[in-house]
Amino acid sequence: MVNEQEFLAGYDPRAYPAVAVTVDVVALTIRDGELQVLLIQRAAPPFAGFWALPGGFVRPEEDIAVAARREFAEETGLGGEPLRRVHFEQLASYGTPDRDPRMRIFSIAYLAFAPDLPEPSAGSDAGDAEWLAVTALPTRELAFDHRKIVDDGLERARSKLEYTPLATRFVGEEFTIADLREVYETVWGHPLHAGNFHRKVLSVPGLVEGTGATTEHGGPRGGPRARLYRAGDANLLHPALLRPAREETVR
Amino acid sequence: MVNEQEFLAGYDPRAYPAVAVTVDVVALTIRDGELQVLLIQRAAPPFAGFWALPGGFVRPEEDIAVAARREFAEETGLGGEPLRRVHFEQLASYGTPDRDPRMRIFSIAYLAFAPDLPEPSAGSDAGDAEWLAVTALPTRELAFDHRKIVDDGLERARSKLEYTPLATRFVGEEFTIADLREVYETVWGHPLHAGNFHRKVLSVPGLVEGTGATTEHGGPRGGPRARLYRAGDANLLHPALLRPAREETVR
DNA sequence: CGGGGTTATTCTCATCCTGAGTTATTCTTA
DNA sequence: TAAGAATAACTCAGGATGAGAATAACCCCG
């Protein structure tokens, strides 16, 4: 039997069938009171002209998570501190043999949560980029299996709001309880009881901490000035902020 | 601009640097009242002689999930109905550039839950295979980044017991409430209140359904015959069966 | 064969959390 | 200045949880 050195010296990677690995990013933000996902229009085949998730090949010496951040930054033009405030997490991997007509391509999907972002600037390999309301997804055909990836990302996002403080990633540095409630209502897609939500947010340790300040003015249609809060230091919410169970999802 | 056909005809996969994709399986079972993970001893370099997760290269036309089941079946010798009762789910993907000395290898990890399984039969490419108690993991150095993968799998398993009926995958077709409680205690690593657990399991809709039968005998050290149950039809537990929050994990 | 130890199952009870509704107060707009 | 709207706080009933105890069935040992 050969030892490790001899083995590696005689090892030929080219002996294996070619496969490739890409990252795709499901980037979510809240704009105009709607949950929106970042899409780019493909300029080159395959699926030229179709809308797709931002993503691309992982570079030879690049870590996957770094690749995901790079692809996101390229499409949004974001960098520096604003980019650091964006939360990234691995979502899942997709590798059905025929998901890409070129060759066997595995995609490692990432999920990104970002506060209200400006209109995206198109990257070099994208014909166009835009934020699309997730409610409009059913009318838009996406490239590859990206519809499935987006659906998985949305379910992950809805679920993560329950037991993590990720909702604070959708709002600015300072926010009101109503801002936070709007995030939950938008992502979950139904209204919440304002009073109960308020009580709950303040009772969960480490979710938010008060700044002592209030908003400059009341709401656009009246109401008192709201107190401002910052994200707290909790990583997990306990007790969790559960969305009402829908009978369909249980069985 | 070329159309899709012309593009694909002129496409050369060999133009890209070689990468490979493997699956690794974190297979968990409960044997002798302990949570155990399936490991194989590597026969060939790299990491020859080290213990590692069962896994291997995804075949050219093979789906990832199929590859995970195949690798698991090869190492355990399991097939047919017993194999169908094993739950598989994708865990996460690992692709740090230097995680494998041979080349850039991405690993897509799967998590498997199985009821009490027999001693594994060694596969063709494994020097040996064994179930190792997870409590013994700290004393055993694993190949590649498999320690991290196992840790992620264990956390996923503990978390999934809370809100899904997966605990029923660790016991046989018919089981007692005490069997189920032992699963939770073993995976979570601390004792539960028998009375409260009993009440909770029976109150969650769709978790279990009674068979009408009882065990043949009482427990080995006494006690009445216990009623037998089957897994119910729920996919999600509501309300969830939460493990007591540990302060460390929250912040 | 009888008693002690063990375990399944059911109850009790105090406490906490949740959903729903109400009230006081502050602020904007007409 | 009055009406409308939103924040924040309070009330109350019902459900869920944690802790402890009671009851009854069953095993093993002496």
Side-chain angles (χ1 to χ4, degrees):
Chain A
M1 181 166 132
V2 297
N3 67 24
E4 300 255 337
Q5 268 69 38
E6 293 166 23
F7 172 83
L8 288 175
Y11 187 84
D12 178 17
R14 299 281 161 167
Y16 296 88
V19 299
V21 175
T22 63
V23 289
D24 287 307
V25 180
V26 180
L28 301 176
T29 195
I30 292 179
R31 291 158 52 91
D32 312 322
E34 285 189 310
L35 183 62
Q36 307 196 342
V37 59
L38 183 62
L39 296 179
I40 63 164
Q41 193 168 27
R42 290 183 59 81
F47 287 98
F50 279 72
W51 291 88
L53 294 173
F57 292 96
V58 178
R59 294 178 180 166
E61 288 302 315
E62 185 181 46
D63 192 72
I64 330 174
V66 171
R69 284 193 132 80
R70 173 178 55 74
E71 293 287 350
F72 175 84
E74 284 175 7
E75 297 300 337
T76 59
L78 223 61
E81 181 57 26
L83 182 58
R84 264 191 295 280
R85 266 191 62 76
V86 179
H87 168 87
F88 281 84
E89 66 178 59
Q90 198 186 96
L91 177 57
S93 296
Y94 302 82
T96 307
D98 59 355
R99 62 181 291 279
D100 192 306
R102 288 169 288 188
M103 60 188 287
R104 185 74 191 266
I105 296 187
F106 296 86
S107 169
I108 303 176
Y110 273 74
L111 188 58
F113 296 106
D116 193 344
L117 290 180
E119 210 54 51
S121 66
S124 55
D125 59 348
D128 200 2
E130 68 164 27
W131 290 102
L132 180 72
V134 299
T135 52
L137 275 172
T139 66
R140 171 108 34 138
E141 192 180 355
L142 300 188
F144 308 107
D145 50 3
H146 288 188
R147 158 59 57 73
K148 164 81 173 136
I149 300 178
V150 170
D151 286 346
D152 290 350
L154 289 174
E155 177 49 34
R156 171 80 69 90
R158 293 184 184 117
S159 158
K160 277 240 153 177
L161 286 201
E162 295 190 314
Y163 57 94
T164 73
L166 276 188
T168 60
R169 296 304 190 117
F170 281 112
V171 294
E173 194 90 44
E174 299 198 339
F175 51 87
T176 68
I177 305 271
D179 291 338
L180 210 54
R181 178 161 50 82
E182 197 194 326
V183 171
Y184 276 91
E185 292 180 333
T186 304
V187 176
W188 285 350
H190 58 77
L192 299 175
H193 186 293
N196 291 341
F197 183 85
H198 197 275
R199 174 184 59 190
K200 178 71 185 179
V201 166
L202 294 184
S203 75
V204 175
L207 210 200
V208 300
E209 57 183 31
T211 65
T214 68
T215 52
E216 289 288 319
H217 307 285
R221 282 173 300 188
R225 300 177 180 186
R227 290 183 207 166
L228 288 171
Y229 296 86
R230 254 192 302 272
D233 62 352
N235 293 314
L236 283 175
L237 306 188
H238 189 83
L241 227 159
L242 299 176
R243 50 187 156 161
R246 287 155 303 167
E247 184 64 27
E248 325 94 67
T249 65
V250 173
R251 299 300 167 102
Chain B
M1 184 167 133
V2 297
N3 67 24
E4 299 255 336
Q5 269 69 37
E6 293 167 25
F7 173 83
L8 288 175
Y11 188 84
D12 178 19
R14 300 281 161 168
Y16 296 88
V19 300
V21 176
T22 63
V23 289
D24 288 306
V25 180
V26 180
L28 301 177
T29 196
I30 293 179
R31 291 158 51 91
D32 313 322
E34 284 189 310
L35 183 62
Q36 306 196 343
V37 60
L38 183 63
L39 295 179
I40 64 165
Q41 194 168 28
R42 290 183 59 82
F47 287 99
F50 280 72
W51 292 86
L53 294 173
F57 292 96
V58 178
R59 295 178 180 166
E61 289 301 314
E62 186 180 44
D63 193 72
I64 329 175
V66 172
R69 283 195 133 79
R70 173 177 56 74
E71 293 288 350
F72 175 83
E74 284 175 6
E75 298 301 337
T76 59
L78 222 61
E81 181 57 27
L83 181 57
R84 264 190 295 279
R85 267 191 61 76
V86 179
H87 169 87
F88 280 85
E89 67 178 58
Q90 198 185 97
L91 176 58
S93 296
Y94 302 81
T96 308
D98 59 355
R99 62 181 292 279
D100 191 305
R102 289 170 287 187
M103 61 188 287
R104 186 75 191 267
I105 295 187
F106 296 87
S107 170
I108 303 176
Y110 273 74
L111 188 58
F113 296 107
D116 194 343
L117 291 179
E119 210 55 50
S121 66
S124 55
D125 60 347
D128 200 1
E130 68 164 27
W131 290 103
L132 180 72
V134 300
T135 51
L137 275 172
T139 66
R140 172 110 34 140
E141 193 180 355
L142 300 188
F144 308 107
D145 50 4
H146 288 188
R147 159 59 57 73
K148 164 80 173 139
I149 300 179
V150 170
D151 286 346
D152 290 349
L154 289 174
E155 179 48 34
R156 171 80 68 90
R158 292 182 185 120
S159 159
K160 277 240 153 180
L161 286 200
E162 294 190 315
Y163 57 94
T164 73
L166 277 187
T168 60
R169 297 303 191 119
F170 280 112
V171 294
E173 193 91 43
E174 299 198 338
F175 51 87
T176 68
I177 305 269
D179 291 338
L180 210 53
R181 178 162 48 85
E182 197 194 325
V183 171
Y184 277 91
E185 291 180 334
T186 305
V187 176
W188 285 351
H190 58 77
L192 299 174
H193 185 293
N196 291 342
F197 183 84
H198 198 102
R199 173 184 62 189
K200 177 72 186 178
V201 167
L202 293 185
S203 74
V204 175
L207 211 200
V208 300
E209 56 182 33
T211 66
T214 69
T215 51
E216 289 287 318
H217 308 285
R221 282 173 302 188
R225 300 177 181 186
R227 291 185 206 162
L228 287 171
Y229 296 85
R230 256 192 303 270
D233 62 353
N235 296 118
L236 283 174
L237 305 188
H238 188 82
L241 228 158
L242 299 174
R243 49 185 157 160
R246 288 155 302 167
E247 184 64 29
E248 325 94 65
T249 66
V250 173
R251 299 305 167 101

